[in-house]
Amino acid sequence: MPETVELKVAMTCEGCVGAVKRVLTKMNGVESYTVDLKEQKVTVIGDVKPEEVLEKVAKTGKATSYWPKE
């Protein structure tokens, strides 16, 4: 069953969005993802582990944390 991972990522421009998309495109198990610059939210769906997604996105140099649960 696919996992949904929601992250808060400090992105300021389309360049930041591009960097995040690049690492997610190369990641194994990712079925789909959305990057919302305005909300600073990245949602990843696929056969992935939340900690691996967090680690990968953090490697872009952007401040990254799990999206706060309501």
Side-chain angles (χ1 to χ4, degrees):
M1 190 173 142
E3 176 94 48
T4 300
V5 183
E6 294 179 323
L7 302 175
K8 183 167 184 62
V9 184
M11 299 176 287
T12 53
C13 63
E14 286 302 324
C16 299
V17 172
V20 172
K21 286 181 174 180
R22 273 194 300 281
V23 296
L24 292 176
T25 304
K26 291 183 187 141
M27 198 173 165
N28 289 336
V30 173
E31 288 170 26
S32 67
Y33 58 83
T34 55
V35 180
D36 186 329
L37 178 58
K38 192 162 67 69
E39 290 258 336
Q40 307 233 321
K41 184 174 187 176
V42 176
T43 305
V44 180
I45 298 167
D47 184 18
V48 291
K49 292 189 176 75
E51 55 278 7
E52 286 177 6
V53 177
L54 182 77
E55 204 176 284
K56 253 312 182 233
V57 174
K59 281 193 174 144
T60 61
K62 314 278 169 249
T64 307
S65 58
Y66 291 112
W67 191 260
K69 296 273 182 259
E70 276 80 52

